[in-house]
Amino acid sequence: MQAHDHTASGSPHDWWEARYAERDGIWSGRVNAVLASVAGGLRPGRALDLGCGEGGDVVWLAEQGWEASGIDLSATAVERATRAAHAAGVAERTAFVAEDLATWSPTGSFDLVTASFLQSWPVAIPRAEILRRATGFVAPGGHLLVTAHAAPPHGDLPEELRSYRFPTPAEDLDAMELGDGWEVVAAELRPRTATTPEGTAHETVDSVVVVRRR
Ligand SMILES: C[S@@+](CC[C@H](N)C(=O)[O-])C[C@H]1O[C@@H](n2cnc3c(N)ncnc32)[C@H](O)[C@@H]1O
């Protein structure tokens, strides 16, 4: 996510719609590196991407042979994701829905549930609750991967956003409230070099949690 100068107001839905309306293509369209490394080691099956944005991760998963679905609050983002899947020739292996993960539940379960940077500032979302509910979407033997910004992705946040608390791997793991039927595959910080919108390199760090339902 890129730092910006909005002030907090309204619902997460309205805030994200307004953000996507600012311009076409607010993300790179490329797969997130953590997802590529985790999913690259799994046998393709059914995947679900939480907060899919413009669909870069879903399109990549479909290209690897997954039946991949994406959910996002923003209808504009979902429309762009659908277009991206058509452009990549994987539309028949993808599905996108504009829904709120605070309340939405899928029919059926998934071999991989992934969330890349499902974070919202300055308008907060019930993220812990969403992660806990997401465990219920995972099929036996399936994985849940949560990648989050654990530090500002592009340098300092603007003053009005400095109260945002970045999640740690332990906090995201706690939020999942896993019972005995789960194995923790990874819960760690991973350093990463990000490129700012101005094109300069910036060192940041991601929180990566991978759990597997037995
Ligand atoms: C930082 S963006 C990340 C987008 C994408 N995963 C990526 O890595 O490029 C966070 C996304 O989560 C979505 N989002 C935030 N809260 C949500 C909610 N409650 N339900 C569904 N999507 C949500 C936003 O609309 C936004 O597209």
Side-chain angles (χ1 to χ4, degrees):
M1 175 187 286
Q2 165 186 331
H4 48 77
D5 60 5
H6 282 81
T7 51
S9 66
S11 68
H13 169 270
D14 292 351
W15 191 83
W16 279 102
E17 265 304 324
R19 177 102 167 82
Y20 281 105
E22 281 171 8
R23 66 184 161 87
D24 204 0
I26 67 174
W27 313 118
S28 71
R30 291 189 298 276
V31 64
N32 283 296
V34 171
L35 172 65
S37 75
V38 171
L42 303 174
R43 192 153 47 93
R46 291 188 78 216
L48 175 67
D49 185 19
L50 310 177
C52 64
E54 294 162 335
D57 284 352
V58 171
V59 167
W60 181 86
L61 284 163
E63 287 171 342
Q64 311 310 305
W66 293 79
E67 293 284 329
S69 299
I71 311 298
D72 202 281
L73 262 186
S74 163
T76 302
V78 159
E79 197 182 295
R80 288 179 195 163
T82 306
R83 257 194 276 134
H86 277 276
V90 293
E92 78 287 352
R93 283 203 298 284
T94 63
F96 295 96
V97 197
E99 284 285 354
D100 186 344
L101 286 161
T103 50
W104 177 86
S105 292
T107 48
S109 57
F110 296 84
D111 305 300
L112 173 64
V113 177
T114 177
S116 297
F117 310 113
L118 176 61
Q119 286 161 279
S120 184
W121 65 73
V123 179
I125 55 171
R127 190 167 175 278
E129 166 86 4
I130 289 171
L131 297 187
R132 186 185 57 73
R133 296 181 77 248
T135 63
F137 307 165
V138 181
H143 291 79
L144 171 60
L145 161 65
V146 177
T147 307
H149 296 296
H154 295 135
D156 275 352
L157 293 175
E159 185 65 40
E160 70 272 19
L161 302 187
R162 297 230 170 105
S163 60
Y164 180 80
R165 272 195 68 250
F166 290 90
T168 66
E171 285 166 351
D172 276 0
L173 203 50
D174 280 355
M176 292 175 190
E177 296 183 10
L178 302 175
D180 288 344
W182 291 84
E183 172 196 347
V184 178
V185 179
E188 63 199 28
L189 292 172
R190 290 196 191 174
R192 171 169 66 93
T193 305
T195 308
T196 67
E198 295 74 37
T200 46
H202 169 74
E203 296 308 311
T204 186
V205 61
D206 294 335
S207 162
V208 178
V209 176
V210 186
V211 295
R212 180 179 172 276
R213 184 190 279 278
R214 296 198 172 94

